[in-house]
Amino acid sequence: MIGKYIREKASWLWLLVSMQLIILLVAYLDSSIPFQSVVYIVGLNVVVCLVFIWARYLKETRFYKKLNTWDHTYDLGELEIAESPYELIVHEAITSQTERYRKESSHHFIALEQEKDEMLSWIHEVKTPLTALQLMIERLPDDKLQNQMTYEWLRIHQLLDQQLHQKRIPFMHNDLFIEETELEPVLNSEIRALKSWCISKGIGFDVSLMVSRVLTDSKWLGFILRQLLSNAVKYSDSSDILIESREQDGHIILMIQDHGRGIEAQDLPRIFDKGFTSTRGRMNGSATGMGLYLVRQVVQTLHMNIHVKSSLGEGTIVTLTFPRKNDMVHLAGV
């Protein structure tokens, strides 16, 4: 801050220095003026000027030091009270700008809330004809046509589900209920939802749960498993998907392993990025790039870890690590 202050007052400092040099020059050229006395007076002037500059530095930089450490929130009470006219100009400008941003932020927040509510309402309304459509599909006599339409119905259902949870994720903390959750019922429910798709692709599930209870939110865990199992089925053919759970270092580990096409090495570090669809995903146009991104958002909120290991042509292993109980005591429902 002192360097900035010196640069700010450089013109005044040069003026003071120049005046002292002029006095010394006049005393040096004019023999009638005692030079030593002038040097003494200039020395006193320099001392007085240094003391004055230091005092003014402490006073004039107090407001700007506080402004420099301000975290740019809407709380103007953290700012130092303006004393000088220039400080008052800055303070009034910041106050006016902050009030304007506060009003705009409030307006945008209300608009976003309305948009979210309208979107959620629309999704719930669409679910009614989707349910009716599912019943109609089940009555089709042609098994091949039924399987094709079931697959397309499932895609629509999953896209709506992603959109629904995408709108809810920013407010997850208001909807959490952490409790001891049985893994098997949640897994069975998500597997049953994929049954017709799995049958058409010749895919089965090998479930081995050495640990059956985990500490989490059952509804959001269902969303995570829905996305992971859907990806495993989508990129596999005529092979079993292995699901295992175990305990390791006080953590519960849930592993989902498929023997599908796998993920290319250059794509693996980016699979959780928003909108990333991988090289093949861009070619077939079926991927949205949102599923794993949303999974990571939910996993982080639930204080879980997710790790993906994959080899092209050999399959993919997704590992979910649940937190210890002590890591969850501050969340709602514990």
Side-chain angles (χ1 to χ4, degrees):
M1 181 64 74
I2 192 169
K4 294 179 180 178
Y5 182 78
I6 292 174
R7 288 196 298 271
E8 174 69 21
K9 303 296 183 181
S11 58
W12 291 94
L13 295 175
W14 278 116
L15 175 63
L16 292 174
V17 171
S18 300
M19 291 177 63
Q20 305 311 311
L21 291 176
I22 290 173
I23 293 173
L24 289 174
L25 179 62
V26 170
Y28 178 77
L29 296 176
D30 190 346
S31 58
S32 62
I33 301 175
F35 185 75
Q36 290 184 347
S37 299
V38 172
V39 170
Y40 179 73
I41 294 172
V42 169
L44 288 177
N45 286 342
V46 170
V47 172
V48 170
C49 287
L50 290 175
V51 173
F52 175 78
I53 291 170
W54 179 251
R56 293 304 301 174
Y57 166 76
L58 296 177
K59 183 177 180 61
E60 292 180 13
T61 58
R62 187 184 304 117
F63 175 81
Y64 297 102
K65 283 180 179 178
K66 196 69 176 180
L67 182 62
N68 195 40
T69 58
W70 183 45
D71 60 1
H72 303 282
T73 62
Y74 292 148
D75 185 12
L76 296 174
E78 297 180 2
L79 291 179
E80 189 76 15
I81 298 176
E83 297 180 355
S84 70
Y86 286 116
E87 290 177 1
L88 190 59
I89 291 173
V90 173
H91 193 279
E92 289 177 351
I94 293 175
T95 302
S96 176
Q97 188 86 324
T98 302
E99 288 297 328
R100 183 166 66 87
Y101 285 157
R102 181 183 290 153
K103 291 179 181 179
E104 290 180 358
S105 176
S106 177
H107 174 75
H108 292 322
F109 179 78
I110 293 172
L112 286 173
E113 281 290 299
Q114 291 176 345
E115 181 184 352
K116 178 179 74 74
D117 293 340
E118 291 171 0
M119 176 65 74
L120 293 178
S121 175
W122 179 82
I123 291 173
H124 284 295
E125 289 179 6
V126 170
K127 282 187 174 182
T128 302
L130 268 181
T131 303
L133 182 61
Q134 183 183 23
L135 296 175
M136 295 169 65
I137 292 173
E138 291 175 354
R139 296 175 185 174
L140 289 174
D142 188 336
D143 291 341
K144 183 178 180 180
L145 179 61
Q146 185 185 74
N147 289 335
Q148 290 175 345
M149 293 192 67
T150 299
Y151 169 68
E152 297 301 332
W153 177 90
L154 186 61
R155 287 182 61 191
I156 296 172
H157 177 74
Q158 289 181 341
L159 289 172
L160 286 173
D161 185 66
Q162 280 187 8
Q163 190 65 245
L164 177 65
H165 284 84
Q166 184 180 359
K167 295 297 181 182
R168 287 177 172 173
I169 283 175
F171 310 96
M172 262 189 72
H173 290 285
N174 300 329
D175 189 39
L176 283 180
F177 184 71
I178 306 300
E179 60 180 348
E180 291 283 347
T181 302
E182 289 285 347
L183 275 174
E184 189 172 357
V186 180
L187 275 169
N188 288 341
S189 175
E190 300 305 328
I191 291 173
R192 280 196 302 269
L194 300 170
K195 180 178 66 175
S196 58
W197 191 15
C198 293
I199 292 174
S200 66
K201 299 190 71 174
I203 293 174
F205 289 90
D206 183 4
V207 181
S208 175
L209 301 178
M210 297 182 63
V211 181
S212 60
R213 296 172 67 87
V214 294
L215 188 65
T216 189
D217 183 288
S218 59
K219 184 176 71 174
W220 287 100
L221 175 61
F223 171 76
I224 294 171
L225 295 176
R226 194 174 311 138
Q227 302 302 313
L228 298 179
L229 293 177
S230 297
N231 281 350
V233 174
K234 182 177 182 180
Y235 299 115
S236 300
D237 287 295
S238 303
S239 60
D240 284 350
I241 295 173
L242 177 63
I243 303 175
E244 294 181 346
S245 68
R246 65 180 187 276
E247 185 174 352
Q248 180 178 320
D249 299 328
H251 293 277
I252 308 301
I253 308 296
L254 180 66
M255 184 192 72
I256 300 174
Q257 180 179 8
D258 66 68
H259 298 88
R261 73 185 192 192
I263 303 171
E264 296 183 6
Q266 67 267 24
D267 292 340
L268 197 57
R270 302 174 58 193
I271 58 175
F272 293 108
D273 292 349
K274 186 176 183 179
F276 181 71
T277 57
S278 79
T279 306
R280 296 190 181 187
R282 285 192 294 273
M283 292 173 63
N284 58 39
S286 61
T288 63
M290 293 300 296
L292 289 179
Y293 166 74
L294 296 177
V295 165
R296 186 180 63 173
Q297 299 293 105
V298 176
V299 162
Q300 289 175 344
T301 304
L302 292 176
H303 293 263
M304 298 164 59
N305 287 321
I306 184 169
H307 179 263
V308 177
K309 181 180 179 182
S310 184
S311 298
L312 192 62
E314 297 181 7
T316 302
I317 301 176
V318 180
T319 304
L320 287 172
T321 304
F322 293 85
R324 299 183 181 94
K325 187 173 182 178
N326 292 339
D327 299 330
M328 302 291 283
V329 293
H330 60 287
L331 290 180
V334 177

